[in-house]
């Protein structure tokens, strides 16, 4: 077996995501969780960049046991001193030195020629090596660097003592085949390459960061730099959870390769990072998005319920998700509906099933998602159903602060359609008076309660009423996404009980 070193840079490159800054305590909390997750290296920050970053790297180095703790430095003695002074508190310190090597960066940013860059890189690695044995070097913008020069730089920094050479696709420009070939060429052309670990660091500007990293792994890279939730400069870095699960799920391709990550901690880590950085995770994000294991279409739900692997390539539990989520909505079929009824321990007789399923479908047309509590209400109503002498067909209300509330109601009784209108103190009162006109009974309302069965603007409202008529008291219940409709249904239900009992 061949281990892929997982180098997490959430606290360094990830924190470079616009709007994702973290304070020292937050960084420490994330670093501790990264250790629980089982990453091999934590790049905790860029110590020279600010006193806060220096302190954060120092406290992570002091407090977090297990992973290597790394600090970033430009190829300058001052940066290297800062990085070392911050990471030296770790039992396993690393200094990560970088210098750009592409023509574009050398010409416009550094204004230096190749030979000068080469000298600076070697000098920086040599200087860092006097402080710390574990040295990583990154030729920044490697994927746009001229190949023979890149090979020269890599050979020289290994000669100077670098133990890891990281090949960054700094601007996310590479494509998978090309990037894989770049790693292969380094392996084949740099004579001392066996003395170091080849690492990759891919940005996601073309949405290819994970693909490029995995292509590099297939061509000999053994360290992948990545971040939780794919955070990072601009479009972000390769997402750690996708790299780890890609290697694990496709072990037919990655064969003897593995990571030391405890995948069951992935979801929890993702939530923590999202909460502390204030960067939400898109619902359809692979592995950790809230929809990653949610099935909405009837065909998919039926398949997953019969055999999970029909539509799932990863067990939700393996990444710390509680379970597959069957979202009951308008695309759901009878199988998913009945399965949920069974799981909720609800009992419906054969003849009640059709009716309840029909009501579920109607509700699903009005609501985005039908929750368990909605189903409980539907089933409850089916079970406690009494013969309906009156059934609500339609209603119309007019109400406002400047008009007297009025209501028109149409009820069906046997095969007749009965209609009446009334005004009232409010829309519900107007409806109830109109119902009284139709049914010929005057019920006095002793109690009226309304509650939202679930959360959200489209939640099902449930109304419970107590009605007194001719000395008898009955209760009635009705549910709908429209609270006036729920109110009328509850009242008509009470009236039906009065008629039935009589
Ligand atoms: O993207 C990049 O090139 C970097 C380096 C510092 C490794 O973040
Ligand atoms: Zn980067």
């Amino acid at each position: 077996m061949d281990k892929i070193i997982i180098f997490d840079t959430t606290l360094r490159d990830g924190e470079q995501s616009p709007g994702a800054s973290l304070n020292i305590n937050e960084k420490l909390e994330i670093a501790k969780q990264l250790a629980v997750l089982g990453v091999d290296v934590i790049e905790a920050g860029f110590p020279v960049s600010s006193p806060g970053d220096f302190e954060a790297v120092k406290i992570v180095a002091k407090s977090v046991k297990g992973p290597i703790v790394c600090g970033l430095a430009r190829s300058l003695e001052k940066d290297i001193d800062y990085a070392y002074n911050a990471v030296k508190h770790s039992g396993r310190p690393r200094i990560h030195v970088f210098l750009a090597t592409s023509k574009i960066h050398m010409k416009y940013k550094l204004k230096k020629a190749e030979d000068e860059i080469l000298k600076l890189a070697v000098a920086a690695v040599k200087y860092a090596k006097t402080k710390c044995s574990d040295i990583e070097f990154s030729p920044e913008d490697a994927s746009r660097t001229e190949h023979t020069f890149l090979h020269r730089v890599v050979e020289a920094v290994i000669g100077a003592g670098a133990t890891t050479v990281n090949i960054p696709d700094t601007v996310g420009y590479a494509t998978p085949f090309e990037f894989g070939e770049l790693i292969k060429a380094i392996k084949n052309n740099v004579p001392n390459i066996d003395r170091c670990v080849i690492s990759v660091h891919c940005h996601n500007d073309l949405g290819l960061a994970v693909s490029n990293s995995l292509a590099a792994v297939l061509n000999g890279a053994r360290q992948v730099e990545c971040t939780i939730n794919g955070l990072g400069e601009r479009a972000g870095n390769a997402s750690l959870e996708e790299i780890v699960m890609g290697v694990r799920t496709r072990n037919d391709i990655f064969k003897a390769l593995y990571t030391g990550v405890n995948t069951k901690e992935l979801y929890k880590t993702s939530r923590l990072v999202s909460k502390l950085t204030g960067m939400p995770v898109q619902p359809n994000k692979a592995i950790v998005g809230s929809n990653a294991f949610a099935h909405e279409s009837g065909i998919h739900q039926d398949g997953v319920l019969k055999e999970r692997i029909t539509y799932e390539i990863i067990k939700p539990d393996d990444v710390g998700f509680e379970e597959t989520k069957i979202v009951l909505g308008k695309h759901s079929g009878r199988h998913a509906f009945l399965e949920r009824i069974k799981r909720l321990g609800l009992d419906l007789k054969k003849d009640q099933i059709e009716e309840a399923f029909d009501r579920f479908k109607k509700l699903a047309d009005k609501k985005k998602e039908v929750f368990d509590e909605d189903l409980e209400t539907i089933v409850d109503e089916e079970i406690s159903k009494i013969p309906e002498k009156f059934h609500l067909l339609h209603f119309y209300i007019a109400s406002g602060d400047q008009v007297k509330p009025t209501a028109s109601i149409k009820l069906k009784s046997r095969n007749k359609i009965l209609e009446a209108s009334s005004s009232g103190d409010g829309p519900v009162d107007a409806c109830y008076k109109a119902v009284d006109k139709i049914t010929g009974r005057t019920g006095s309302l002793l109690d009226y309660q309304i509650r939202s069965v679930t959360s959200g603007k489209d939640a099902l409202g449930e109304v419970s009423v107590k009605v007194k008529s001719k000395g008898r008291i009955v209760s009635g219940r009705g549910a709908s996404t429209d609270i006036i409709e729920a109110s009328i249904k509850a009242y008509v239900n009470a009236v039906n009980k009065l008629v039935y009992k009589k």
Side-chain angles (χ1 to χ4, degrees):
M1 296 292 275
D2 209 350
K3 185 171 178 180
I4 299 170
I5 298 163
I6 295 296
F7 177 114
D8 181 278
T9 183
T10 307
L11 299 178
R12 200 278 294 169
D13 215 323
E15 209 216 5
Q16 286 173 220
S17 294
S21 63
L22 295 159
N23 65 34
I24 293 180
N25 290 338
E26 290 166 339
K27 283 195 169 185
L28 184 59
E29 196 178 342
I30 291 175
K32 284 184 176 162
Q33 178 57 28
L34 290 172
V36 174
L37 179 66
V39 307
D40 301 288
V41 186
I42 296 175
E43 186 165 55
F46 188 2
V48 79
S49 67
S50 74
D53 235 43
F54 179 84
E55 279 309 314
V57 178
K58 187 168 145 189
I59 195 155
V60 169
K62 266 189 182 165
S63 327
V64 179
K65 307 282 169 248
I68 292 170
V69 177
C70 173
L72 183 68
R74 288 169 297 181
S75 291
L76 298 172
E77 290 193 358
K78 179 183 168 198
D79 281 36
I80 295 167
D81 289 342
Y82 268 83
Y84 179 64
N85 286 330
V87 296
K88 69 180 180 195
H89 304 277
S90 165
R92 305 177 69 198
R94 174 181 293 186
I95 302 173
H96 178 187
V97 184
F98 74 99
L99 185 62
T101 50
S102 67
K103 278 209 163 74
I104 299 172
H105 279 237
M106 289 190 297
K107 181 174 173 193
Y108 296 107
K109 188 179 86 175
L110 302 171
K111 302 186 191 331
K112 290 192 192 325
E114 281 187 353
D115 285 346
E116 209 179 338
I117 292 289
L118 193 74
K119 260 198 217 146
L120 286 173
V122 168
V125 171
K126 279 193 175 154
Y127 182 70
K129 198 73 181 179
T130 62
K131 312 206 162 251
C132 181
S133 60
D134 188 345
I135 303 297
E136 172 167 331
F137 179 81
S138 290
E140 192 190 5
D141 205 16
S143 56
R144 293 193 299 173
T145 297
E146 198 262 314
H147 281 204
T148 34
F149 182 55
L150 181 62
H151 298 166
R152 274 177 67 208
V153 172
V154 172
E155 184 181 353
V157 293
I158 297 172
T163 39
T164 299
V165 174
N166 179 45
I167 306 300
D169 180 24
T170 303
V171 288
Y173 183 70
T175 56
F177 181 75
E178 177 194 28
F179 198 63
E181 289 294 302
L182 177 68
I183 302 303
K184 197 195 280 177
I186 291 172
K187 251 188 112 64
N188 292 338
N189 292 295
V190 175
N192 56 0
I193 195 70
D194 291 340
R195 283 167 39 196
C196 81
V197 172
I198 304 179
S199 168
V200 286
H201 174 113
C202 297
H203 278 270
N204 207 29
D205 300 66
L206 293 174
L208 293 170
V210 170
S211 309
N212 288 338
S213 306
L214 293 179
V217 164
L218 288 175
N219 284 283
R222 286 297 173 267
Q223 173 176 288
V224 176
E225 302 199 356
C226 43
T227 56
I228 300 296
N229 300 336
L231 291 183
E233 189 80 42
R234 304 180 312 277
N237 287 70
S239 131
L240 181 148
E241 54 278 7
E242 293 173 27
I243 297 284
V244 168
M245 291 314 291
V247 170
R248 182 180 147 141
T249 309
R250 294 307 307 271
N251 58 9
D252 55 328
I253 289 173
F254 293 96
K255 305 236 188 273
L257 296 170
Y258 71 100
T259 72
V261 166
N262 174 4
T263 60
K264 285 191 189 287
E265 292 290 328
L266 284 173
Y267 185 62
K268 184 175 166 194
T269 314
S270 160
R271 300 302 314 146
L272 178 72
V273 169
S274 172
K275 184 181 88 181
L276 296 182
T277 56
M279 300 282 281
V281 175
Q282 75 196 61
N284 57 329
K285 163 85 177 63
I287 317 295
V288 291
S290 57
N291 286 351
F293 300 98
H295 304 274
E296 159 87 27
S297 110
I299 296 169
H300 288 212
Q301 292 182 344
D302 181 55
V304 167
L305 289 166
K306 284 176 177 150
E307 173 53 63
R308 189 191 59 79
I309 59 170
T310 52
Y311 287 103
E312 263 179 16
I313 58 164
I314 295 168
K315 269 203 222 131
D317 178 51
D318 286 351
V319 297
F321 252 82
E322 295 233 313
E323 57 183 13
T324 299
K325 193 173 159 206
I326 299 287
V327 179
L328 288 184
K330 68 176 181 181
H331 300 115
S332 304
R334 199 179 301 268
H335 190 168
F337 169 76
L338 289 176
E339 192 67 29
R340 185 68 63 86
I341 295 278
K342 204 163 102 194
R343 221 198 61 206
L344 291 171
L346 302 172
D347 201 17
L348 276 177
K349 298 210 176 64
K350 253 196 175 149
D351 56 322
Q352 294 170 327
I353 289 176
E354 277 319 299
E355 194 68 20
F357 182 64
D358 194 48
R359 288 189 56 189
F360 155 71
K361 284 301 249 187
K362 282 187 185 140
L363 180 62
D365 258 339
K366 292 189 197 162
K367 288 188 79 184
K368 276 206 181 102
E369 186 175 343
V370 178
F371 298 105
D372 291 352
E373 294 86 342
D374 295 322
L375 284 187
E376 277 162 1
T377 307
I378 290 176
V379 169
D380 217 30
E381 284 195 358
E382 277 310 312
I383 293 170
S384 59
K385 222 172 180 179
I386 43 120
E388 271 191 315
K389 175 154 186 211
F390 299 103
H391 177 80
L392 175 66
L393 275 187
H394 296 295
F395 71 97
Y396 170 81
I397 57 155
S399 185
D401 60 347
Q402 307 278 329
V403 288
K404 184 144 182 76
T406 54
S408 298
I409 305 275
K410 267 190 197 162
L411 299 182
K412 195 172 167 190
S413 179
R414 303 217 170 86
N415 283 325
K416 276 198 232 149
I417 294 180
L418 310 165
E419 199 171 350
S421 301
S422 177
S423 57
D425 291 338
V428 174
D429 184 47
C431 289
Y432 286 7
K433 287 196 168 118
V435 171
D436 285 347
K437 275 191 190 168
I438 295 173
T439 60
R441 330 186 126 251
T442 328
S444 53
L445 191 62
L446 298 185
D447 192 22
Y448 171 96
Q449 283 186 33
I450 183 160
R451 73 178 184 102
S452 156
V453 176
T454 49
S455 58
K457 281 191 200 146
D458 59 358
L460 203 57
E462 188 184 60
V463 172
S464 314
V465 292
K466 263 200 192 118
V467 178
K468 188 173 177 188
S469 175
K470 295 188 183 147
R472 296 208 353 254
I473 298 173
V474 290
S475 60
R477 261 195 303 162
S480 168
T481 47
D482 182 314
I483 53 167
I484 300 292
E485 186 176 338
S487 303
I488 306 169
K489 280 183 167 175
Y491 192 68
V492 173
N493 180 236
V495 172
N496 280 328
K497 282 184 182 170
L498 283 169
V499 178
Y500 182 57
K501 281 190 180 163
K502 192 174 165 221

